[in-house]
Amino acid sequence: MSGSGTAEHVVVIGAGIAGLAAAHRLIQRGARVTVLEASGRVGGKLLPGEIAGARVDLGAESMLARRPEAIALAREVGLDSRLQPPATATASIWTRGALRPMPKGHVMGVPGTAAALSGVLSDEGLARIERDADLPRTEVGDDVAVGAYVAERLGREVVDRLIEPLLGGVYAGDAYRISMRSAVPQLFQVARTHTSLTEGVREIQAKAAANQQTGPVFMGIEGGVGSLPLAVAESVRARGGEILTDTPVTELRREGGEGWRVVAGDRVLHADSVVVAVPAPAAARLLRTEAPEAATDLAAIEYASMALITLAYRRADTALPAGSGFLVPPVDGRTIKASTFASQKWGWIADRNPDVVVLRTSVGRYGETAILEREDTELVDVSRHDLKEATGLDARPLETRVTRWTDGLPQYPVGHHTRVARVREHIGKLPGLAVCGAQYDGVGIPACVASAYAAVDQVYGDDRGVQELTADPVQSLHGGAGE
Ligand SMILES: Cc1cc2nc3c(=O)[nH]c(=O)nc-3n(C[C@H](O)[C@H](O)[C@H](O)COP(=O)(O)OP(=O)(O)OC[C@H]3O[C@@H](n4cnc5c(N)ncnc54)[C@H](O)[C@@H]3O)c2cc1C
């Protein structure tokens, strides 16, 4: 930025959590900010809603607490007293015909010992894990698919029964396509340095214990994490920022060497700098003229679609197993991918709505779109069918809601990091332009906030933040997404 004395005008395109976090940080740094949002509301994939009188999240619902950005942002915008950890840390996995306790002592499904997965895997599956210690080294090169690498070291059963549903919960993706380097950087580091994967995992666990990484892994917000974008938007507005909804940006052009021209329908804005915080397909369209190479890479990023089915029951009719819910490995052939027992997971939902039990299921993942062509009523029916099989719940819901998230989650296939590095290289050549959001350095809310802050640094001519995002994958822990 030129620093001419008057406040610089920065336009942020997109009012999801990334765009709003960028706007918030820009205002803190003294910029004049205008946020342009295509839809009629702020928040993007964070969406508060209501069912049977209970306020709930209809999109993202929890934030990874083991990295600071999202929690710190919530505190800055006055939500400190509403931060709440889940009421229960136990969950289940519905596999081999029964709900089984989710094992503890693993890193994204990869155990330190075979015994850690007893109960979930068959005896043969457990015996196969033990062979890891005797196998020769598996080369990972510059990147490798999580599924392929772990299957080679520990056998397919660990991948199919545990890693697939856990990764599916974050990316709605396919473990045999997802990049280990981008999605589980800790595992990629140990795969590079260790022959035995289980030994590497034990080392990660020992380090975590030595760093006293205790306390809740995830955090929610009373009233829903959908409150976060609303509070950030309020703070931006209170400090003079402008947020315009129903304002889709259609064109982005450089102006005579300095500054940018942003076109949204018949509205034309002039900006010193622009932060593009929209999903990859929209970013590709906006950048096609000024950054065509970046646009080509962005257009190639694929997305998974899914739907969340929220169901509210009368408490008197409803007995659920203990815990926050369950994951379902695709290999078991069920329709739903997961279920969250929202009233048991979040104390504030139960406290505010003592007579109602809210739970939700999810369907759809990368490459599995046929299910999403079904009517809402059918999605409710398949959810009820699977819930009955898994938990015995047979009551008629008081109310149901289907929320479709078409192209909800960007996919991180092998080589994702090189694609993102190329995008950043091209964007970096254009002064006053930066990008952020879920498709770059992690899909979770804290990762989106971190990418927003790095984009703000870049707008101010400091790309150290961006370098850290891409150069130190261990810091870019993802998590907490999906069910
Ligand atoms: C169903 C679901 C559940 C999830 N659960 C969790 C969870 O529990 N925890 C977690 O950490 N993460 C979760 N995630 C992931 C996380 O919510 C998202 O990755 C994150 O919110 C994305 O934020 P974003 O700002 O990058 O993008 P978005 O939220 O997509 O925001 C982008 C905004 O840009 C706008 N836009 C698009 N085009 C234009 C244009 N031309 N002009 C102006 N505006 C435009 C869009 O309307 C949108 O509002 C979940 C995701 C989904 C889909």
Side-chain angles (χ1 to χ4, degrees), residues 13-19 36-39 41 43-46 59-64 247-249 277-279 282 286 306 308 360 405 408-409 436-439 443-446 448 479-482:
I13 308 176
I17 194 60
L36 304 177
E37 164 58 42
S39 75
R41 63 172 187 89
K45 272 66 180 198
L46 275 61
E61 52 122 42
S62 74
M63 305 179 291
L64 187 66
T247 310
V249 175
V278 299
L286 292 177
M306 60 196 293
L308 297 180
R360 72 184 199 181
W405 292 102
L409 284 160
C436 59
Q439 65 270 32
V443 300
I445 298 167
C448 292

Side-chain angles (χ1 to χ4, degrees), residues 52-378:
R55 192 179 157 94
V56 291
D57 278 308
L58 300 175
E61 52 122 42
S62 74
M63 305 179 291
L64 187 66
R66 288 277 160 87
R67 51 180 293 171
E69 298 88 350
I71 309 279
L73 178 62
R75 293 200 164 113
E76 281 176 45
V77 297
L79 297 176
D80 197 5
S81 62
R82 285 168 55 188
L83 287 167
Q84 261 195 33
T88 166
T90 58
S92 305
I93 185 146
W94 185 27
T95 191
R96 299 194 293 125
L99 279 184
R100 300 164 189 276
M102 175 64 78
K104 299 198 186 297
H106 58 84
V107 174
M108 196 46 109
V110 180
T113 62
L117 303 193
S118 73
V120 171
L121 263 55
S122 67
D123 289 345
E124 301 82 67
L126 294 174
R128 176 62 183 81
I129 293 175
E130 309 273 11
R131 283 186 47 208
D132 172 55
D134 308 321
L135 292 174
R137 191 177 166 71
T138 307
E139 292 305 329
V140 293
D142 190 43
D143 196 1
V144 65
V146 183
Y149 175 76
V150 179
E152 193 167 322
R153 300 242 35 111
L154 311 183
R156 276 190 75 115
E157 206 179 324
V158 184
V159 180
D160 293 345
R161 296 216 184 276
L162 207 58
I163 296 176
E164 191 76 89
L166 283 165
L167 269 183
V170 182
Y171 294 93
D174 171 351
Y176 292 94
R177 287 185 79 251
I178 291 178
S179 154
M180 188 154 86
R181 179 171 177 152
S182 295
V184 210
Q186 290 167 296
L187 289 182
F188 187 67
Q189 292 286 60
V190 300
R192 272 182 156 171
T193 50
H194 291 64
T195 297
S196 159
L197 177 58
T198 45
E199 189 189 315
V201 166
R202 288 196 297 276
E203 233 175 77
I204 294 174
Q205 292 167 331
K207 270 191 202 142
N211 291 341
Q212 294 190 317
Q213 281 192 359
T214 50
V217 178
F218 293 104
M219 196 65 95
I221 297 175
E222 190 187 341
V225 298
S227 315
L228 179 62
L230 301 179
V232 179
E234 203 181 300
S235 165
V236 165
R237 286 190 171 117
R239 295 157 85 180
E242 195 178 12
I243 302 176
L244 304 174
T245 51
D246 293 312
T247 310
V249 175
T250 46
E251 201 185 312
L252 184 58
R253 297 296 287 266
R254 287 182 86 183
E255 278 188 324
E258 246 196 52
W260 293 83
R261 180 171 182 269
V262 185
V263 181
D266 50 15
R267 194 188 288 261
V268 179
L269 283 85
H270 302 278
D272 297 297
S273 301
V274 175
V275 175
V276 178
V278 299
R285 282 192 293 276
L286 292 177
L287 294 169
R288 196 173 291 141
T289 310
E290 298 294 350
E293 296 96 336
T296 302
D297 267 313
L298 284 163
I301 295 179
E302 294 185 287
Y303 278 72
S305 297
M306 60 196 293
L308 297 180
I309 298 98
T310 308
L311 308 106
Y313 293 86
R314 211 183 318 274
R315 184 171 292 274
D317 301 343
T318 315
L320 289 173
S324 61
F326 60 88
L327 294 174
V328 192
V331 72
D332 281 284
R334 311 288 184 176
T335 309
I336 64 171
K337 295 286 168 283
S339 178
T340 299
F341 304 157
S343 292
Q344 292 181 176
K345 182 168 181 181
W346 303 113
W348 58 269
I349 297 186
D351 292 348
R352 287 179 175 191
N353 312 279
D355 301 328
V356 174
V357 170
V358 180
L359 50 97
R360 72 184 199 181
T361 65
S362 60
V363 297
R365 62 174 195 142
Y366 176 79
E368 224 182 276
T369 50
I371 180 73
L372 299 172
E373 282 160 24
R374 299 206 206 166
E375 302 282 336
D376 286 4
T377 49
E378 290 178 80

